[in-house]
């Protein structure tokens, strides 16, 4: 699977984006469009529209926001496999890490998606503000009541815009304790922990370059879509190549043949990098 991520890089023009998309389609690669908001610019509609025209529904996911959510977006999202939206807490409480109104718009959009029968997921990032039993219990109750299909739980990582926010990271034991609590909530919703948490729990191996890569808006391919510095550039050792100049098949082959990715490993490669670099 590939994530098409946003960064501060100069975006490719539409024609080149479509060229890269063709490479992904030819290689039968599942795509997760994520951002920022991958339904913001007019070009984005063309790219996602082409992806859903050429690939089966199950092979296109979109991670978007509730901002300016309208019938046009709903129409496109009906044709994708899954829609994800970040929801760290319910509206009404002041989250200093999210823009004002962010949660409320996600909640409204999630309700519309669920009412339209679209498979959707609320994504909650774990950091001290969100890691209270009260917050998680409230979220779980709201999601179940509104028939949201899935709840994805992520760990905060000090990458990209989060670089340097080490105060938002807690100990492994605290993550594990919170995961146990979330799991115990049960209910009709599917609860899924992201790989960075599953490696902590010891029941997953890092799939960077093996099952997924990231493609940045300038065509840079990275072995993990999250492995970016504060400027949105790949962390050392995560750069795989540049599309469309490099061939996608060659990039993946070379990555898997390299010592760095030959074997999947039981730890998160981003955390390993940060520990090595003392970050
Ligand atoms: S490097 Fe970490 S975040 Fe990236 S795929 Fe591996 S476990 Fe997941």
């Amino acid at each position: 699977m590939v994530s098409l991520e946003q960064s501060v890089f100069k975006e490719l023009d539409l024609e080149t984006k479509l060229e890269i998309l063709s490479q992904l389609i030819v290689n039968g690669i599942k795509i997760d469009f994520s951002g920022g908001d991958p339904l913001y610019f007019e070009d984005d509609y063309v790219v996602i529209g082409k992806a859903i025209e050429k690939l089966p529904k199950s092979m296109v996911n979109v991670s978007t926001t509730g901002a300016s959510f309208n019938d046009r977006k709903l129409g496109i999202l009906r044709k994708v496999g899954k829609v994800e939206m970040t929801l760290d807490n319910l509206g009404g409480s002041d989250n200093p890490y999210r823009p004002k109104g962010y949660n409320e718009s996600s909640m409204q959009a999630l309700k519309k998606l669920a009412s339209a029968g679209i498979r959707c997921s609320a994504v909650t990032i774990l950091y001290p503000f969100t890691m209270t039993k009260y917050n998680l219990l409230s979220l779980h109750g709201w999601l179940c009541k509104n028939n949201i299909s899935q709840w994805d739980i992520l760990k905060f990582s000090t990458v990209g815009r989060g670089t340097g926010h080490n105060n938002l990271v807690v100990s492994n034991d605290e993550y594990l304790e919170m995961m146990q609590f979330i799991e115990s909530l049960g209910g009709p919703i599917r609860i899924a922990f992201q790989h960075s948490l599953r490696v902590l729990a010891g029941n997953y191996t890092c799939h960077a370059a093996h099952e997924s890569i990231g493609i940045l808006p300038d065509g840079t391919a990275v072995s993990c879509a999250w492995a970016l510095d504060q400027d949105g550039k790949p962390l050392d050792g995560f750069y795989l190549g540049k599309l469309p100049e490099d061939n996608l098949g060659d990039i993946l082959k070379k990555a898997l043949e390299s010592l760095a990715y030959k074997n999947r490993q039981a730890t998160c490669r981003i955390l390993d990098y940060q520990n090595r670099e003392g970050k």
Side-chain angles (χ1 to χ4, degrees), residues 25 37 52 75 78 81 142 156-157 193 199 208 234 276:
I25 292 168
D37 191 341
I52 54 187
R78 275 182 202 284
W142 186 88
F156 176 81
S157 293
F193 295 103
V199 290
R276 262 196 326 267

Side-chain angles (χ1 to χ4, degrees), residues 240-251:
L240 294 180
K242 180 89 162 58
L243 295 166
E245 294 89 330
D246 298 329
N247 176 279
L248 178 65
D250 291 344
I251 288 180

Side-chain angles (χ1 to χ4, degrees), residues 19-253:
E19 192 183 334
I20 294 174
L21 179 66
S22 299
Q23 284 201 39
L24 299 174
I25 292 168
V26 166
N27 283 281
I29 290 176
K30 187 173 176 184
I31 304 174
D32 184 352
F33 289 97
S34 58
D37 191 341
L39 285 175
Y40 188 78
F41 293 112
E42 209 46 46
D43 280 5
D44 302 336
Y45 287 89
V46 179
V47 175
I48 295 180
K50 182 62 84 183
I52 54 187
E53 183 194 316
K54 298 284 180 190
L55 289 169
K57 189 172 177 171
S58 60
M59 290 183 67
V60 183
N61 292 338
V62 174
S63 305
T64 186
T65 72
S68 309
F69 199 79
N70 56 26
D71 286 347
R72 185 183 183 202
K73 290 189 181 184
L74 198 64
I76 287 232
L77 296 174
R78 275 182 202 284
K79 297 177 188 156
V80 308
K82 190 175 76 157
V83 182
E84 291 186 2
M85 277 197 196
T86 303
L87 183 63
D88 283 351
N89 56 280
L90 298 183
S93 53
D94 282 333
N95 183 338
Y97 304 103
R98 295 283 174 204
K100 199 165 167 38
Y102 188 91
N103 291 337
E104 285 90 344
S105 63
S106 289
M107 289 164 75
Q108 292 305 322
L110 281 165
K111 278 208 261 189
K112 283 187 190 158
L113 290 163
S115 306
I118 298 170
R119 192 172 156 235
C120 57
S121 156
V123 178
T124 299
I125 323 288
L126 296 183
Y127 49 95
F129 183 88
T130 62
M131 287 176 74
T132 66
K133 289 187 176 172
Y134 175 78
N135 183 50
L136 295 166
L137 206 52
S138 312
L139 276 170
H140 178 264
W142 186 88
L143 296 171
C144 291
K145 187 172 138 220
N146 288 286
N147 301 316
I148 310 302
S149 350
Q150 186 160 321
W151 191 18
D152 284 296
I153 311 293
L154 271 65
K155 175 178 164 298
F156 176 81
S157 293
T158 52
V159 291
R161 282 177 296 140
T163 302
H165 290 274
N166 295 24
N167 57 321
L168 299 186
V169 178
V170 302
S171 71
N172 290 355
D173 284 348
E174 286 171 274
Y175 287 122
L176 294 172
E177 190 191 324
M178 213 39 82
M179 287 168 72
Q180 259 184 4
F181 172 72
I182 292 167
E183 223 158 18
S184 74
L185 298 177
I189 194 164
R190 178 169 186 268
I191 297 174
F193 295 103
Q194 194 221 26
H195 27 101
S196 59
L197 285 168
R198 290 168 67 198
V199 290
L200 287 187
N203 57 22
Y204 196 71
T205 51
C206 170
H207 63 234
H210 285 258
E211 281 179 17
S212 77
I213 63 165
I215 299 176
L216 308 182
D218 71 340
T220 297
V222 282
S223 52
C224 171
W226 286 269
L228 306 177
D229 68 15
Q230 64 272 29
D231 298 321
K233 295 184 185 149
L235 300 177
D236 287 346
F238 288 84
Y239 175 87
L240 294 180
K242 180 89 162 58
L243 295 166
E245 294 89 330
D246 298 329
N247 176 279
L248 178 65
D250 291 344
I251 288 180
L252 295 175
K253 194 162 168 268

